[in-house]
Amino acid sequence: MAITFDSALGIHQYALQARVQRAEILANNLANADTPGFKARDIDFQAIMKQAQSNASGFGMNTTNSGHITEGGGAPGSLSDNDLLYRTPHQPSVDGNTVDAQQEQSRFMRNAMDYQASFQFLSSKFSGISKALTGQ
């Protein structure tokens, strides 16, 4: 019986990748907190994970022609421009900027904690595989 990384690690490797990409998006929002007209963006993490799970299970949509529209991009867990959403501000600023620095910092820290949790879970999966291979 063959073991693949997809079957051994499940969706967690894609969750880690999506957390990294979300951290980049949130950092970009924070970097442009004072840029007039900048629109804050974010991803729908649950939609990304649902797409990654369907692609990893083999029941996802495939393109057979270069003219076909892809369902959210390339590899499972990766983002395309269609996955980026604009955030609706609670209090829009006069200059058109929709970044609320405090909310962005909060989301960034939450994402960092979720990344750490996903990383520890993935690390425990590798530890279990290593113990199984060495017979411990």
Side-chain angles (χ1 to χ4, degrees):
M1 183 171 155
I3 296 176
T4 64
F5 277 119
D6 280 341
S7 65
L9 303 177
I11 198 167
H12 302 291
Q13 59 185 331
Y14 305 119
L16 201 62
Q17 182 182 2
R19 294 275 180 221
V20 168
Q21 291 171 331
R22 185 168 189 230
E24 291 174 4
I25 294 165
L26 295 175
N28 188 42
N29 288 345
L30 281 168
N32 288 292
D34 294 328
T35 304
F38 183 81
K39 307 293 183 203
R41 301 186 87 177
D42 203 349
I43 61 171
D44 183 0
F45 186 78
Q46 291 182 343
I48 299 295
M49 287 297 94
K50 186 181 286 184
Q51 174 194 348
Q53 191 169 20
S54 69
N55 287 346
S57 67
F59 295 114
M61 295 176 57
N62 291 327
T63 58
T64 56
N65 186 322
S66 62
H68 291 165
I69 298 172
T70 60
E71 183 192 16
S78 67
L79 296 178
S80 68
D81 280 344
N82 296 334
D83 296 325
L84 292 175
L85 306 172
Y86 287 103
R87 185 170 296 133
T88 304
H90 296 287
Q91 271 188 317
S93 65
V94 176
D95 63 0
N97 188 311
T98 62
V99 177
D100 183 344
Q102 291 179 343
Q103 287 188 5
E104 293 298 326
Q105 288 174 346
S106 173
R107 288 184 179 107
F108 189 86
M109 291 305 299
R110 173 65 192 254
N111 188 61
M113 289 189 300
D114 291 342
Y115 172 85
Q116 188 64 31
S118 293
F119 186 78
Q120 286 180 347
F121 191 80
L122 205 55
S123 178
S124 69
K125 286 272 195 178
F126 277 115
S127 177
I129 291 171
S130 177
K131 286 180 181 177
L133 290 174
T134 58
Q136 296 179 2

